[in-house]
Amino acid sequence: DTAVSQTPKYLVTQMGNDKSIKCEQNLGHDTMYWYKQDSKKFLKIMFSYNNKELIINETVPNRFSPKSPDKAHLNLHINSLELGDSAVYFCASSQEPPEKLFFGSGTQLSVL
Amino acid sequence: EDKVVQSPLSLVVHEGDTVTLNCSYEVTNFRSLLWYKQEKKAPTFLFMLTSSGIEKKSGRLSSILDKKELFSILNITATQTGDSAIYLCAPGGRDDKIIFGKGTRLHILP
């Protein structure tokens, strides 16, 4: 059983399109995150949710909208995709911090 | 503003060598520091450090935290080619915010 699963693994799309990435964790964790990893492998935090409530929003463009229907799911919707959005997006979860992060396998987004 | 600085940014050594990777941080309401190894896919967990001066070990890897001087080191002894990866340091602080350094790219030559 995969602990943190995200779909799709790969996403190739045109500029201007809208796309979503889904994430689910079966660990019973309270906190979920979205991270963006650029081509230089720098992992940057985007959002965190604790029990469906937004806790961290790291000055991400408002084209990015996270949604957490319940504490096991955190989805990321991106409107009007731009070239600079191309990256790997990782979902992660943790129990009451300071526990370790469990990562999903990542979604490679390529905007053409 | 919270920040994490890892050094060196890249390192090339021969198999069998010992390496020391550094991480210095400034984080509001520091709670813990995590070390991760990233190869091709998602980062994999190595250590979580919360107390100063207590070394954590896992095989050839060990790590220690200094909360007074705000840094941590990760040591790898008798390196192997399978240790080639990016090593990421991630302190956690206020609002459960866990931020990552830019990583150290380690390459082990056979």
Side-chain angles (χ1 to χ4, degrees):
Chain A
D1 282 344
T2 305
V4 181
S5 60
Q6 51 181 112
T7 56
K9 284 193 184 333
Y10 300 96
L11 194 47
V12 181
T13 188
Q14 300 285 334
M15 271 176 57
N17 284 349
D18 303 339
K19 290 292 178 187
S20 292
I21 307 172
K22 295 187 175 183
C23 179
E24 176 182 2
Q25 54 97 2
N26 63 5
L27 298 167
H29 289 167
D30 290 324
T31 306
M32 295 185 73
Y33 303 81
W34 278 110
Y35 284 86
K36 178 182 179 182
Q37 189 169 48
D38 60 24
S39 57
K40 294 185 179 178
K41 299 290 190 181
F42 179 38
L43 256 176
K44 189 169 180 185
I45 189 167
M46 299 173 70
F47 302 102
S48 80
Y49 270 72
N50 182 282
N51 209 4
K52 302 192 296 175
E53 285 196 36
L54 179 66
I55 303 297
I56 295 170
N57 181 341
E58 281 292 294
T59 59
V60 177
N62 58 15
R63 297 182 295 103
F64 290 79
S65 52
K67 283 193 173 47
S68 182
D70 55 61
K71 77 173 195 174
H73 295 84
L74 179 62
N75 304 322
L76 183 65
H77 188 76
I78 316 170
N79 288 328
S80 304
L81 278 155
E82 300 178 357
L83 293 175
D85 298 331
S86 296
V88 180
Y89 292 83
F90 284 103
C91 175
S93 73
S94 74
Q95 193 46 296
E96 180 63 35
E99 290 296 320
K100 67 182 184 184
L101 288 172
F102 290 75
F103 281 91
S105 56
T107 296
Q108 172 94 54
L109 172 64
S110 298
V111 182
L112 306 177
Chain B
E1 184 180 326
D2 296 340
K3 60 181 179 181
V4 187
V5 178
Q6 291 189 244
S7 64
L9 289 180
S10 68
L11 188 55
V12 181
V13 300
H14 285 94
E15 230 177 354
D17 288 349
T18 293
V19 297
T20 297
L21 310 183
N22 304 295
C23 174
S24 64
Y25 62 89
E26 290 178 31
V27 170
T28 305
N29 294 344
F30 174 84
R31 300 177 75 151
S32 65
L33 187 141
L34 307 171
W35 280 98
Y36 280 82
K37 176 183 181 182
Q38 187 175 23
E39 296 172 269
K40 292 184 180 173
K41 294 192 175 179
T44 53
F45 174 77
L46 295 175
F47 297 109
M48 183 175 82
L49 305 161
T50 54
S51 302
S52 272
I54 299 174
E55 186 182 51
K56 291 216 171 178
K57 286 194 69 135
S58 176
R60 297 175 293 101
L61 277 66
S62 63
S63 184
I64 198 161
L65 175 67
D66 186 327
K67 288 164 74 172
K68 183 179 175 188
E69 300 297 329
L70 307 182
F71 77 87
S72 175
I73 61 172
L74 175 68
N75 280 319
I76 310 175
T77 59
T79 52
Q80 302 171 357
T81 54
D83 296 327
S84 295
I86 299 172
Y87 289 84
L88 299 163
C89 166
R94 183 184 55 170
D95 294 332
D96 309 337
K97 186 174 172 183
I98 300 174
I99 59 171
F100 282 80
K102 294 189 176 182
T104 293
R105 289 177 181 268
L106 177 63
H107 186 63
I108 311 296
L109 299 170

